[in-house]
Amino acid sequence: MPTDAGEADDLLAALLPRLSQISTAVTRGKLDERAMAAAGVALERPAMTVLTVLHVAGEPLRVGEIATRMQVVGPHVTRQLNALEARHLVQRVTDPDDSRARLVELTSEGRDLATRYLGVLFGWFTEALADWSPQDRRTLTGLLARFADDLTAHLARFAD
Amino acid sequence: MPTDAGEADDLLAALLPRLSQISTAVTRGKLDERAMAAAGVALERPAMTVLTVLHVAGEPLRVGEIATRMQVVGPHVTRQLNALEARHLVQRVTDPDDSRARLVELTSEGRDLATRYLGVLFGWFTEALADWSPQDRRTLTGLLARFADDLTAHLARFAD
DNA sequence: TATTGTTATACTCTATAACTATA
DNA sequence: TATAGTTATAGAGTATAACAATA
């Protein structure tokens, strides 16, 4: 009997709406906007993303590398950088190893801002998980990591 | 010592990138576009979403209800419906209970199309989880459901 | 000639404002 | 006068195309 397949389907049918729910809670709840407000930041969201990428990287990155990590296209990053540099949150310097390229680095002001923003976001997730046992937290993190990897690997066949 | 807090932070720090990874794999991998192509559908993505919402609902819905479920605003849905109705994928009929409102229902063609589309998407996720034990699937689904609910509840305080 | 980045432009998605019809 | 929906318009986000500079 196809019990296993049926059960797997049911579980999957339950899984997808949950992913959608999380995505909705974050995207439509405008978490990033609210976190920016809470951190006292007035910036467009993609610009904040650039700052976040640089902060997480912990080192200066090339324009193309930022675009890759943001999964967007070069010109989009350039536009954000123009705004960010005008506000002294990042700085573009020519890459000493290749003068075609530019290295983008956070200014101290940019770093502070990113730290505040991420701190707020982080705090909210921490609070949401406050009642969880360490064991459950570990299990969720582990399974979610595996799921993310399996999904990424499986969908990689679509790469052009 | 703050061992627990530190560990929780580490786990959280691991969790957020994973959510981001999944979101990226789906959004930027253009899963919906590819699923539409695979299902032989040529439709704008928001229009496909309308079809999906109606398919999942399993019954005709009012325009406002579709907007709520899509988490968008009324006029956006109207625009999609105009296109969908012109292609005979949905049909608008006046609500017999309130002639201000209209009930939107799938045509048989619209239903077939949504079925094909969802079947493709579903198949991809199923394949990605093919190697998982039923136990792990169950655990992930359960914890993810709890996480989604806790997050939603926690962020609900932002509701205006 | 290939690559890095920039400028200019266009397209997709979604929101706000103003309006119509019915309750 | 409140509500359901529509039309018209505007804005945010990202892409494509054409170009400049360096490798």
Side-chain angles (χ1 to χ4, degrees), chain A residues 1 10 16 42 44 69 76 81 145:
Chain A
M1 286 179 66
D10 286 350
L16 295 183
E44 289 181 10
R69 299 196 187 193
H76 182 56
L81 290 177

Side-chain angles (χ1 to χ4, degrees), chain B residues 107-126:
Chain B
T107 63
S108 63
E109 192 186 346
R111 185 168 10 256
D112 289 352
L113 194 152
T115 302
R116 287 206 305 281
Y117 170 78
L118 289 172
V120 169
L121 263 190
F122 210 78
W124 287 341
F125 277 82
T126 302

Side-chain angles (χ1 to χ4, degrees), chain B residues 37-58:
Chain B
V41 182
L43 229 46
E44 288 182 11
R45 211 182 327 150
M48 190 67 242
T49 305
V50 171
L51 256 36
T52 301
V53 165
L54 286 168
H55 189 272
V56 170

